[in-house]
Amino acid sequence: MEKSNIVFIKNRANTKKSEEKLEVDDQHVTIQSRTGGSVVVNFKGSEAEIIDIGNFFKGIDEVEPLALNIAGAGDVDHYFRGISDMTANDDGLFNLSVTLQFLSTTV
């Protein structure tokens, strides 16, 4: 089976800041769709992996635009809504969750 990744892109629309990307193997990610266009992205991995993921999201302000690309399907814009604390599992891995809100545009 071919490996696919989930890519998060921040600062894409901000010409004053350089674009930053976070690419995560989809085996470490689950996405839960919520009502109202929000999604919760759950990460599971080693402590170092989860710290790196957390650091990427900690610099984002609430309702800041963020692009999400799942397995190369194309960028979908979301607002950043928040991040959970990192928690440890019994299996030695760590969890972290990020909440995003679909950025709808009115035409």
Side-chain angles (χ1 to χ4, degrees), residues 7 14 27 42 49 53 57-58 62-63 66 76 100-101:
V7 180
N14 189 341
Q27 293 181 4
N42 299 299
E49 290 170 328
I53 291 168
F57 287 102
K58 284 184 181 170
E62 191 169 315
V63 300
L66 180 74
V76 177
L100 305 174
Q101 176 74 40

Side-chain angles (χ1 to χ4, degrees), residues 39-82:
V39 293
V40 176
V41 183
N42 299 299
F43 300 94
K44 184 176 183 178
S46 70
E47 183 175 18
E49 290 170 328
I50 298 301
I51 287 172
D52 287 344
I53 291 168
N55 287 338
F56 177 83
F57 287 102
K58 284 184 181 170
I60 302 175
D61 294 325
E62 191 169 315
V63 300
E64 183 174 333
L66 180 74
L68 173 63
N69 186 324
I70 300 171
D75 293 348
V76 177
D77 292 326
H78 290 78
Y79 286 119
F80 176 75
R81 300 295 292 167

Side-chain angles (χ1 to χ4, degrees), residues 4-107:
S4 60
N5 292 328
I6 298 176
V7 180
F8 299 87
I9 306 165
K10 65 180 177 178
N11 301 332
R12 187 175 68 176
N14 189 341
T15 57
K16 294 181 181 179
K17 292 184 180 179
S18 61
E19 182 177 281
E20 292 181 53
K21 293 183 181 183
L22 171 68
E23 193 165 344
V24 182
D25 187 322
D26 69 351
Q27 293 181 4
H28 300 285
V29 179
T30 58
I31 299 174
Q32 298 173 316
S33 181
R34 303 288 172 132
T35 58
S38 66
V39 293
V40 176
V41 183
N42 299 299
F43 300 94
K44 184 176 183 178
S46 70
E47 183 175 18
E49 290 170 328
I50 298 301
I51 287 172
D52 287 344
I53 291 168
N55 287 338
F56 177 83
F57 287 102
K58 284 184 181 170
I60 302 175
D61 294 325
E62 191 169 315
V63 300
E64 183 174 333
L66 180 74
L68 173 63
N69 186 324
I70 300 171
D75 293 348
V76 177
D77 292 326
H78 290 78
Y79 286 119
F80 176 75
R81 300 295 292 167
I83 186 169
S84 72
D85 291 329
M86 182 174 74
T87 58
N89 289 336
D90 293 335
D91 58 5
L93 295 176
F94 291 80
N95 292 331
L96 182 77
S97 296
V98 172
T99 304
L100 305 174
Q101 176 74 40
F102 178 68
L103 192 156
S104 62
T105 55
T106 308
V107 180

